[in-house]
Amino acid sequence: MVSLGRMRELYADMVTARHYEERLQEEYLEGKQPAFDISAGPIPGELHLAAGQEAAAVGVCHHLRADDTVTAPHRPHHVAIAKGVDLKRMTAEIFGRKTGLGKGKGGHMHLFDPDVNFACSGIIAEGCPPAAGAALAAKKRNEDSVAVAFLGEGAIDQGAFLESLNFASVHDLPVVFVVEDNDWAISMPKERVTDVENGSDRAAGFDMPGFRVDRDDALAVYEAAGEAIGRARDQNGPTLLEVQVHRRMGHFMGDPQTYRPDDDEEAALARDSIDRLESTLRDHGLGDDDLSAIRGDAEERVEEAIAWAKEQPQPAPEDAYDDVFVNPPSGVTTEEPDFDLAGGDDR
Amino acid sequence: MVSLGRMRELYADMVTARHYEERLQEEYLEGKQPAFDISAGPIPGELHLAAGQEAAAVGVCHHLRADDTVTAPHRPHHVAIAKGVDLKRMTAEIFGRKTGLGKGKGGHMHLFDPDVNFACSGIIAEGCPPAAGAALAAKKRNEDSVAVAFLGEGAIDQGAFLESLNFASVHDLPVVFVVEDNDWAISMPKERVTDVENGSDRAAGFDMPGFRVDRDDALAVYEAAGEAIGRARDQNGPTLLEVQVHRRMGHFMGDPQTYRPDDDEEAALARDSIDRLESTLRDHGLGDDDLSAIRGDAEERVEEAIAWAKEQPQPAPEDAYDDVFVNPPSGVTTEEPDFDLAGGDDR
Amino acid sequence: MSDADDAVDRELTMSRAMVESIAHEMRANEEVFYMGEDVADYGGIFDSTQGLLDEFGRDRIMDVPISETAYLGAAVGAAQEGMRPIAELMFVDFFGVAMDQIYNQLAKNTYMSGGNVNVPLVLTAAVGGTYNDAAQHSQTLYGTFAHVPGLKVVVPSTAYDAKGLMHNAIRDDDPVMYLFHKRLMGIGWMPAPDGPKTPVPETDYTIPFGSADVKREGADVTVVTLGLHVHRALDAAESLAAGGIDAEVIDLRTLVPLDTETILESVRKTGRLVVVDEDYRSFGVTGEIIASVADGDLDALDAVERVAVPDVPIPYARPMENEVIPDATDIEASVREVVSGE
Amino acid sequence: MSDADDAVDRELTMSRAMVESIAHEMRANEEVFYMGEDVADYGGIFDSTQGLLDEFGRDRIMDVPISETAYLGAAVGAAQEGMRPIAELMFVDFFGVAMDQIYNQLAKNTYMSGGNVNVPLVLTAAVGGTYNDAAQHSQTLYGTFAHVPGLKVVVPSTAYDAKGLMHNAIRDDDPVMYLFHKRLMGIGWMPAPDGPKTPVPETDYTIPFGSADVKREGADVTVVTLGLHVHRALDAAESLAAGGIDAEVIDLRTLVPLDTETILESVRKTGRLVVVDEDYRSFGVTGEIIASVADGDLDALDAVERVAVPDVPIPYARPMENEVIPDATDIEASVREVVSGE
Ligand SMILES: Cc1ncc(C[n+]2csc(CCOP(=O)(O)OP(=O)(O)O)c2C)c(N)n1
Ligand SMILES: Cc1ncc(C[n+]2csc(CCOP(=O)(O)OP(=O)(O)O)c2C)c(N)n1
Ligand SMILES: [Mg+2]
Ligand SMILES: [Mg+2]
């Protein structure tokens, strides 16, 4: 059983993440109306929002410590929030500001917060191998930290994921692969592209336990993830965990979603894991006041982060030339030693 | 039950393939003794021989027609022989001659014989997607030809193979993946690199039947492959078939095999699928004379091919510049049409 | 179909022109099919297959799993059987998950087989930045692919060229990499500059590979470029003309084969060379063009400048992305430098 | 340890020198480990880890599945945690199965994170032909990797350089691609030329990246090259000297960073440039070097030649492979051309 305190924490992060995505949507569309121009407005470029997927993020990440590693894919905000990424600097990054996590160089698909060991990649499934690598490092160092790789159900057909299952399994690594199944990979429904109904069915072929939480339920995820992460932390090897989530918005902002049946979208909107957790909290005695206090705090936190981000300085054009390397391009040394090499007459 | 006639055919190809590898080994070592120099002798470069793996090749390929496609990996000779690749031109290719299958450009890992739809790749598992593609072509054209991809047990951890399982399964393609499990990937025993004991265990996670023939037995392979290829030909989808084989030689010629326990090598030499089939043939009444007649024919065929190949002309140095493209580099047209483009003033 | 001798005044966006040639070839040849992610119902994220599903159905306009190695490799296999697949990599930046199929199979099988096998496959991919999509979604990688022997590399800059080059690509018996710039496509949500929308004949026609196009004639300096930067160079040329500098703008159209002759001819006339590229500066297109000219006729060359993405990944934020992707002002400045520098 | 001031006369093969520096770093720092296929019991197909398993055990000399994306990506992940992995790609030709990890993660994570994350990983790979291993096992791909912003690219040509550059690579906090030429390693079954076996100090020492080395001084022509071709160029220089032509031979040692200064200095002296490379000719190393010189000091350049693999995959048969991989005679001919051609 999940404690009430923990439930409140999950709920708080879920409403934070939801409010965050809704507010980013507004900010993103600024300057892009009426004619949508992807390069206009305060947040240009692609934006993939995760409204409807909060349960997976919070259910998993609330088992994690700062020294546990998480890699997230192109749709990372809910996971970042649940993992405790600095919300202000993350927001500044999304707005392309100099004080952002990546000094405005990365953008929303490339959030790196080494303080909580969070990283992203916009390339499908390519966060899986580095997560396995973080787990390998923990194992080599005899530390009990673990790693979690998040990916979409569309990513389970990608070599990087499948190879990582074997790699993690054969080296017995403390890593959990979390598949967020939102039924869609952009416009492609999963049955069009994937042979198995449940991604977790792939686990057995890699000698790994596989579980699926087939409803969008933060508490169910929390319990399943607790087991998986516990296995990892106890050095009992990797797990594949799939979670049914829903996509409340388009794949990216500006997605016309003409491919999507109306009833699919309606069903996604109806099946809201936040409502579900809210009613559980009510069953546990929380009232309107309690819930709106939590929501109020969450909204305030989001508004503060957005307001802060928008006040941050833009990077200068010439900042673009920094940070390709952390060492000067010449590497660690700048002078060659002088040996007297017998016979080395061609030097 | 396999007919006696078919058994004789399998046996004939097995002894052909075995003799072929033994003779290539001799030819290869010429000019490389006493000091082994990989670039010396009549056959330079790497050479991967398949002695001990004949059962897989013949058991599968004897179900195939010329219009069925086979892709083979870096160790292709036994499969090529079983598929009916022109032995003379293949041998000329291995000797780097102008009349070789690839005019001496490909070498032993790159044998292409379009007459029997045979192709190779030296990159682990990268023959799997093209095999799926050949099957896709057959399906699109409503033809009943099938495709088979051969790979080693070390290749089942490679993304190209794993992605191909899903691709073939979700598109229901007439393709069979044949894993030749010889226990070793160069110096790495399979338990060091792969989580599951049997590669065929991977199949279920891709909604595909998986079978393993766990002894080095041409007839057992022939029966299992018959089912798998029959499924494909009847449009019932792909199959994963694994076959236990043995590596009688080093990974490549020159491999010191210092990593290999003596008893492993002895066991491989003892468990000979050719002996096994021979004794079955004896049970069916064949005597010394019959068997040595078959072997004699096989040896003659091999000797003839090698003799022919060695008489073939070397390519000229400048032949290297041909065949990058089949079309002239400018493509299909050399002159641009002349339209009167209104307003196209920047052209 | 309109008579080719009549003046053509129907204008198309680059994406419509591409789609028109694909549809034409699909009607003419049953062996042509298109595969990629989101190419069916969505019509291609960058409108590369808009409307084709309706006419040709799912078998010929195929959505595929997010398994680029598997589906590009399957396209290689189907092409080796004689079919003529067009396979799309949604963003060229994703090449790394499937580069072995591209580099070691697609590009080499013809050679390794001594020409016994050929691979008539068109590999399309969207390229380019200018809309703040950051380091993993904004590259052109022109140099990376042009360096691979065995691939013909096409980069159209106008609707007219896009159509003619696509017809040529699909009919070619060799592998063709067809790189279309997102900013030129005329997608509703990514406004194109004026240049790429051009008159396009309804009839089919082919543009030969290896024929660079002089998009603007000029006497003082040769600007060699491709893709989006053809239009930026033309803009720069307009401004320069006002200041009395007459720039010739050459659109390479194909990187492989490379039309060195047209470039040399121009440099012999102008003596000055500016190469403009949206790929990374080092070990890429600008180096190759300059070296080809230096190698071909060093004496003709009086001054040279490179304008390209400095050797940094593409940054996200607008001020930095604008800094690293060359614009008309950058081109102008470099032209002024080669003109005044002597 | 020998005193650096004493004359060093211990000679090592290039592979022994590499292994010595790796062992030294592994002793000094527990966070250094090596992963790759056949690196444990086999000791590396090209002797890159010979003897290390015995000293360091399986945890630090790790055999891995044939899953280059998984293990190179795991190395990226471990490096981001602060470990210092060395990961080996057995043949550089296999890069295509893992290029996304190399190009989009390893090379870009530092930049995309604004320098908050760094990836101290050494990616080693064997390169090169000359032993008839055909199109999928004989490439150098120097240009392909040097074109990627975010990777430092090292190509040693002698045992002395191999050791110093490896020490520098392992201590560097950035990703380093370390490309060793098979033919130079001194492997029993692939005889090396004489040059790469050199005196090597027992002590550790570092050679800075971006410092090209003048391997032979000369007044008449500048030959710029790297890897195996340093030795072929030195051979050519010997023959040329007999004919009265005095060639300077510059070994780049690193492609990124590129030491343009040393090249320019030499060309200012000789006026003539021959660039020799074992990668494909177009869009690669030769183009970059020539363009850098043309861009840096066009007036200094009187004549130029490129010597590289023509744009064909590497053929298998001996006469054809010999034709496409430049040898000393090819270099000599090109040098004579630039010298006489004026
Ligand atoms: C290797 C690669 N191929 C394709 C893409 C383009 N792409 C971005 S998101 C996406 C769909 C992903 O679907 P899924 O994994 O289910 O995640 P979701 O978007 O539903 O969260 C695709 C195809 C990519 N980023 N990387
Ligand atoms: C992508 C890739 N990685 C590594 C190699 C090098 N390599 C060639 S054969 C081989 C071992 C293959 O083992 P297995 O698949 O079991 O086939 P076997 O050699 O046993 O027949 C390796 C690692 C390669 N050719 N391609
Ligand atoms: Mg999804
Ligand atoms: Mg094996």
Side-chain angles (χ1 to χ4, degrees):
Chain A
M1 263 304 298
V2 186
S3 75
L4 182 57
R6 182 48 56 104
M7 278 189 218
R8 292 177 63 123
E9 287 166 20
L10 299 180
Y11 180 74
D13 267 5
M14 288 174 81
V15 294
T16 303
R18 175 70 55 86
H19 188 66
Y20 193 71
E21 301 298 58
E22 288 169 350
R23 285 289 291 111
L24 282 189
Q25 180 173 35
E26 280 172 40
E27 295 286 338
Y28 183 77
L29 291 175
E30 207 173 292
K32 296 195 186 74
Q33 308 275 28
F36 187 95
D37 174 355
I38 189 171
S39 39
I43 306 175
E46 286 178 83
L47 187 67
H48 309 83
L49 299 179
Q53 305 194 181
E54 298 84 357
V58 301
V60 171
C61 292
H62 277 260
H63 292 284
L64 300 178
R65 311 182 309 225
D67 67 336
D68 293 328
T69 293
V70 165
T71 63
H74 57 287
R75 196 182 301 291
H77 304 163
H78 58 319
V79 185
I81 288 171
K83 181 66 168 79
V85 168
D86 184 317
L87 193 63
K88 287 183 171 159
R89 293 188 61 213
M90 160 173 154
T91 310
E93 185 60 30
I94 296 170
F95 279 85
R97 303 307 167 103
K98 201 177 163 92
T99 51
L101 288 173
K103 303 183 188 163
K105 294 197 162 93
H108 107 104
M109 283 188 273
H110 309 295
L111 304 170
F112 292 83
D113 188 347
D115 289 345
V116 295
N117 281 312
F118 184 86
C120 295
S121 175
I123 308 296
I124 293 298
E126 294 285 338
C128 297
L136 181 69
K139 194 173 172 184
K140 285 189 183 300
R141 287 164 164 173
N142 273 315
E143 291 170 354
D144 73 345
S145 60
V146 305
V148 177
F150 281 84
L151 58 149
E153 93 297 334
I156 68 167
D157 303 324
Q158 183 68 238
F161 165 67
L162 296 163
E163 290 188 3
S164 294
L165 293 183
N166 179 67
F167 187 86
S169 186
V170 79
H171 293 115
D172 236 348
L173 301 179
V175 59
V176 179
F177 300 95
V178 177
V179 177
E180 294 182 82
D181 175 8
N182 66 4
D183 296 321
W184 292 93
I186 313 186
S187 70
M188 304 192 300
K190 68 177 175 179
E191 58 278 11
R192 189 178 303 151
V193 291
T194 300
D195 47 20
V196 283
E197 213 182 302
N198 299 331
S200 49
D201 293 349
R202 294 261 162 93
F206 296 89
D207 193 30
M208 187 188 293
F211 302 101
R212 177 174 162 91
V213 178
D214 63 4
R215 57 193 192 283
D216 201 337
D217 176 348
L219 299 182
V221 177
Y222 185 79
E223 295 195 27
E227 259 184 63
I229 291 164
R231 285 189 76 232
R233 213 176 292 290
D234 297 343
Q235 319 297 343
N236 291 322
T239 305
L240 173 57
L241 175 63
E242 185 172 58
V243 179
Q244 178 73 56
V245 294
H246 296 96
R247 208 180 80 190
R248 297 175 71 86
M249 300 173 167
H251 170 76
F252 35 35
M253 292 299 94
D255 179 356
Q257 296 205 74
T258 43
Y259 54 81
R260 191 174 186 180
D262 288 343
D263 56 349
D264 182 90
E265 195 172 350
E266 279 156 29
L269 293 174
R271 254 174 320 204
D272 190 344
S273 60
I274 294 186
D275 292 347
R276 185 194 287 259
L277 183 55
E278 202 167 298
S279 80
T280 309
L281 285 168
R282 285 185 196 279
D283 293 347
H284 282 75
L286 266 68
D288 284 345
D289 288 356
D290 302 306
L291 293 169
S292 57
I294 299 175
R295 279 201 307 267
D297 287 351
E299 288 172 16
E300 200 179 302
R301 209 183 141 213
V302 168
E303 296 306 331
E304 245 179 58
I306 291 177
W308 186 84
K310 289 166 82 170
E311 278 164 13
Q312 296 304 300
Q314 302 273 357
E318 58 275 17
D319 291 343
Y321 302 102
D322 302 334
D323 299 321
V324 181
F325 297 113
V326 294
N327 252 345
S330 61
V332 283
T333 53
T334 51
E335 246 180 63
E336 189 166 351
D338 191 17
F339 297 107
D340 176 12
L341 298 174
D345 51 16
D346 69 354
R347 292 204 58 268
Chain B
M1 262 305 298
V2 186
S3 73
L4 183 57
R6 182 49 56 105
M7 279 189 218
R8 292 177 64 124
E9 286 166 20
L10 298 180
Y11 181 74
D13 267 4
M14 289 174 80
V15 293
T16 303
R18 175 69 56 87
H19 189 65
Y20 192 72
E21 302 296 58
E22 287 169 350
R23 284 290 290 110
L24 283 189
Q25 180 174 34
E26 281 172 39
E27 294 287 337
Y28 184 78
L29 291 176
E30 207 172 293
K32 298 193 186 73
Q33 309 275 27
F36 186 96
D37 175 353
I38 188 172
S39 38
I43 304 176
E46 285 179 83
L47 187 68
H48 308 84
L49 299 179
Q53 306 195 179
E54 299 85 358
V58 300
V60 171
C61 294
H62 277 261
H63 292 284
L64 299 178
R65 310 184 307 226
D67 67 338
D68 294 327
T69 293
V70 164
T71 64
H74 56 287
R75 196 181 302 288
H77 304 163
H78 57 319
V79 185
I81 288 171
K83 181 67 169 78
V85 168
D86 184 318
L87 193 63
K88 285 183 173 160
R89 293 190 59 214
M90 160 174 154
T91 310
E93 185 61 30
I94 296 169
F95 279 85
R97 303 305 167 104
K98 202 177 164 91
T99 51
L101 286 173
K103 304 184 189 161
K105 294 197 162 91
H108 107 102
M109 283 188 270
H110 309 297
L111 303 171
F112 292 83
D113 188 346
D115 290 344
V116 294
N117 282 313
F118 183 87
C120 295
S121 174
I123 309 296
I124 293 299
E126 295 285 338
C128 297
L136 181 69
K139 195 174 170 183
K140 284 190 183 301
R141 288 166 163 172
N142 275 314
E143 292 169 352
D144 72 344
S145 60
V146 306
V148 177
F150 281 83
L151 57 150
E153 93 296 335
I156 71 167
D157 302 325
Q158 184 68 238
F161 165 66
L162 296 163
E163 290 187 3
S164 296
L165 292 182
N166 178 67
F167 187 86
S169 186
V170 79
H171 293 116
D172 237 349
L173 301 179
V175 58
V176 179
F177 300 95
V178 177
V179 177
E180 294 183 82
D181 175 8
N182 65 5
D183 296 321
W184 293 92
I186 311 186
S187 71
M188 304 192 299
K190 66 178 176 177
E191 58 279 10
R192 189 179 301 151
V193 292
T194 300
D195 47 18
V196 284
E197 212 183 302
N198 297 332
S200 49
D201 293 349
R202 293 263 163 92
F206 295 89
D207 194 29
M208 188 188 292
F211 302 100
R212 179 175 161 92
V213 177
D214 64 3
R215 57 193 194 283
D216 203 335
D217 176 348
L219 298 182
V221 177
Y222 186 78
E223 295 196 24
E227 259 184 62
I229 290 164
R231 283 188 78 232
R233 213 176 291 290
D234 298 343
Q235 320 297 342
N236 291 322
T239 305
L240 174 56
L241 175 64
E242 185 171 61
V243 179
Q244 178 74 58
V245 295
H246 297 96
R247 208 179 81 190
R248 297 176 71 87
M249 300 174 166
H251 169 77
F252 35 35
M253 293 298 93
D255 179 357
Q257 295 206 77
T258 44
Y259 54 81
R260 191 174 188 180
D262 289 343
D263 56 350
D264 181 273
E265 194 172 349
E266 279 157 26
L269 294 174
R271 254 173 318 203
D272 192 342
S273 58
I274 293 185
D275 291 348
R276 184 195 286 260
L277 183 55
E278 201 167 298
S279 80
T280 308
L281 285 168
R282 286 185 195 280
D283 292 347
H284 281 75
L286 267 68
D288 283 346
D289 287 357
D290 302 305
L291 293 170
S292 57
I294 299 175
R295 278 200 308 269
D297 286 351
E299 287 172 18
E300 200 179 302
R301 208 181 141 214
V302 168
E303 295 307 330
E304 243 179 57
I306 291 177
W308 186 83
K310 290 167 83 171
E311 279 165 13
Q312 297 304 300
Q314 302 272 358
E318 58 274 17
D319 291 343
Y321 302 102
D322 302 333
D323 299 320
V324 182
F325 297 113
V326 292
N327 253 347
S330 61
V332 282
T333 52
T334 51
E335 246 179 64
E336 189 166 349
D338 191 14
F339 297 106
D340 176 10
L341 298 175
D345 50 18
D346 70 356
R347 291 203 60 265
Chain C
M1 289 214 187
S2 78
D3 185 339
D5 291 336
D6 285 352
V8 175
D9 53 12
R10 184 189 64 144
E11 291 207 339
L12 292 186
T13 61
M14 201 166 98
S15 81
R16 290 313 314 159
M18 263 178 70
V19 169
E20 189 170 274
S21 55
I22 293 167
H24 180 104
E25 297 295 331
M26 289 185 71
R27 277 176 217 125
N29 186 348
E30 290 229 316
E31 302 278 349
V32 179
F33 67 100
Y34 202 107
M35 64 201 318
E37 292 155 16
D38 305 289
V39 300
D41 306 76
Y42 199 107
I45 298 297
F46 303 107
D47 289 1
S48 52
T49 52
Q50 205 62 249
L52 294 178
L53 177 64
D54 282 349
E55 180 173 352
F56 298 102
R58 279 195 196 286
D59 265 3
R60 298 186 66 196
I61 305 294
M62 279 179 72
D63 273 347
V64 292
I66 311 178
S67 309
E68 284 81 359
T69 291
Y71 79 77
L72 292 183
V76 170
Q80 285 176 186
E81 300 289 324
M83 295 196 78
R84 303 188 87 85
I86 306 171
E88 175 174 312
L89 192 59
M90 189 190 293
F91 289 72
V92 77
D93 313 68
F94 305 159
F95 81 105
V97 302
M99 189 57 167
D100 191 76
Q101 283 297 331
I102 300 171
Y103 203 114
N104 272 331
Q105 327 294 325
L106 175 62
K108 290 179 183 159
N109 281 356
T110 300
Y111 191 78
M112 296 191 302
S113 69
N116 285 327
V117 160
N118 68 307
V119 199
L121 186 158
V122 181
L123 174 52
T124 61
V127 305
T130 75
Y131 65 103
N132 310 96
D133 218 7
Q136 294 179 338
H137 291 77
S138 302
Q139 304 168 103
T140 67
L141 303 182
Y142 295 141
T144 304
F145 293 102
H147 188 52
V148 179
L151 289 182
K152 297 173 184 175
V153 181
V154 175
V155 185
S157 74
T158 68
Y160 177 85
D161 288 353
K163 179 168 167 177
L165 291 164
M166 181 60 88
H167 277 298
N168 212 48
I170 298 172
R171 295 178 195 178
D172 197 326
D173 289 328
D174 288 312
V176 176
M177 181 117 195
Y178 185 104
L179 302 170
F180 57 89
H181 199 293
K182 294 164 236 173
R183 179 57 84 189
L184 298 178
M185 290 291 269
I187 306 160
W189 45 272
M190 195 187 299
D194 281 340
K197 190 167 181 179
T198 62
V200 177
E202 279 176 52
T203 182
D204 59 311
Y205 58 94
T206 53
I207 295 178
F209 294 161
S211 62
D213 189 37
V214 179
K215 286 274 194 289
R216 183 188 195 282
E217 291 192 13
D220 297 335
V221 54
T222 301
V223 180
V224 175
T225 185
L226 73 172
L228 172 65
H229 282 73
V230 169
H231 305 284
R232 296 192 166 186
L234 289 169
D235 286 348
E238 285 314 302
S239 309
L240 289 161
I245 298 175
D246 187 20
E248 178 144 311
V249 177
I250 297 180
D251 179 358
L252 290 171
R253 296 204 295 199
T254 62
L255 283 168
V256 180
L258 184 67
D259 182 0
T260 314
E261 223 16 78
T262 297
I263 303 170
L264 274 174
E265 217 172 277
S266 176
V267 174
R268 284 188 188 115
K269 176 173 70 176
T270 65
R272 302 169 180 120
L273 174 64
V274 176
V275 190
V276 182
D277 180 23
E278 195 182 328
D279 195 6
Y280 304 114
R281 174 184 167 99
S282 293
F283 301 90
V285 172
T286 55
E288 180 59 29
I289 303 295
I290 293 169
S292 295
V293 172
D295 199 12
D297 193 346
L298 184 57
D299 294 337
L301 198 61
D302 296 328
V304 63
E305 279 286 328
R306 312 168 78 164
V307 186
V309 177
D311 297 317
V312 305
I314 311 287
Y316 163 63
R318 204 174 277 132
M320 294 190 288
E321 200 210 34
N322 287 346
E323 171 71 13
V324 305
I325 299 186
D327 58 17
T329 317
D330 297 324
I331 300 170
E332 265 187 71
S334 287
V335 167
R336 285 186 208 285
E337 210 154 306
V338 294
V339 171
S340 71
E342 309 173 53
Chain D
M1 288 209 188
S2 79
D3 185 338
D5 292 337
D6 283 355
V8 176
D9 54 12
R10 183 190 65 143
E11 291 206 341
L12 292 187
T13 61
M14 200 166 99
S15 81
R16 288 315 310 159
M18 263 178 69
V19 169
E20 189 170 274
S21 57
I22 293 167
H24 180 104
E25 296 295 330
M26 289 186 70
R27 277 174 218 126
N29 186 348
E30 290 229 317
E31 302 279 348
V32 179
F33 66 99
Y34 202 107
M35 67 201 314
E37 293 155 16
D38 305 289
V39 301
D41 306 76
Y42 200 108
I45 298 297
F46 303 106
D47 288 1
S48 53
T49 54
Q50 204 63 250
L52 294 177
L53 176 65
D54 282 349
E55 180 173 353
F56 297 103
R58 279 196 196 285
D59 265 2
R60 298 186 67 195
I61 304 294
M62 279 179 72
D63 272 347
V64 292
I66 311 177
S67 310
E68 284 82 0
T69 290
Y71 80 76
L72 292 183
V76 170
Q80 286 177 186
E81 301 288 323
M83 295 196 77
R84 304 188 85 85
I86 307 170
E88 175 175 312
L89 192 60
M90 188 191 291
F91 288 74
V92 78
D93 314 67
F94 306 159
F95 82 105
V97 303
M99 188 58 165
D100 191 77
Q101 283 297 330
I102 301 172
Y103 202 115
N104 272 331
Q105 327 294 324
L106 175 62
K108 289 179 184 160
N109 281 355
T110 301
Y111 191 78
M112 296 191 301
S113 71
N116 285 326
V117 159
N118 67 305
V119 199
L121 187 158
V122 181
L123 174 52
T124 61
V127 304
T130 73
Y131 65 103
N132 310 96
D133 217 6
Q136 295 180 335
H137 292 76
S138 301
Q139 304 168 102
T140 67
L141 302 182
Y142 295 141
T144 303
F145 292 102
H147 187 52
V148 179
L151 290 181
K152 297 172 183 175
V153 180
V154 174
V155 185
S157 74
T158 67
Y160 177 84
D161 289 353
K163 179 168 168 177
L165 291 164
M166 181 60 88
H167 277 298
N168 212 49
I170 298 173
R171 294 177 195 180
D172 196 326
D173 289 329
D174 289 312
V176 176
M177 181 116 196
Y178 185 103
L179 302 171
F180 56 88
H181 199 293
K182 294 163 236 174
R183 178 59 83 189
L184 297 178
M185 290 290 269
I187 306 160
W189 44 272
M190 194 188 299
D194 281 339
K197 190 166 182 180
T198 63
V200 176
E202 279 175 52
T203 182
D204 58 313
Y205 58 94
T206 53
I207 294 178
F209 295 161
S211 62
D213 189 37
V214 180
K215 287 274 194 289
R216 181 187 198 282
E217 290 192 15
D220 297 333
V221 55
T222 301
V223 180
V224 176
T225 186
L226 75 172
L228 171 66
H229 281 74
V230 169
H231 305 285
R232 294 192 166 185
L234 289 169
D235 287 349
E238 286 312 303
S239 309
L240 288 160
I245 297 174
D246 187 20
E248 179 142 312
V249 176
I250 297 181
D251 178 357
L252 290 170
R253 296 204 294 201
T254 61
L255 283 168
V256 181
L258 184 66
D259 181 359
T260 314
E261 223 15 80
T262 298
I263 302 168
L264 275 174
E265 217 172 276
S266 175
V267 173
R268 284 188 189 116
K269 177 173 70 176
T270 64
R272 302 169 181 121
L273 174 62
V274 175
V275 190
V276 182
D277 179 24
E278 195 182 326
D279 196 5
Y280 304 115
R281 174 185 167 100
S282 292
F283 301 89
V285 173
T286 56
E288 182 58 28
I289 302 296
I290 292 169
S292 296
V293 171
D295 199 13
D297 193 346
L298 184 58
D299 294 337
L301 197 61
D302 296 327
V304 63
E305 279 287 327
R306 310 167 81 164
V307 186
V309 177
D311 297 318
V312 305
I314 312 286
Y316 163 63
R318 202 174 278 132
M320 295 190 287
E321 199 210 35
N322 286 347
E323 171 70 15
V324 304
I325 300 185
D327 58 16
T329 318
D330 297 323
I331 301 170
E332 265 188 71
S334 288
V335 167
R336 285 188 207 284
E337 209 154 308
V338 294
V339 170
S340 70
E342 308 173 53

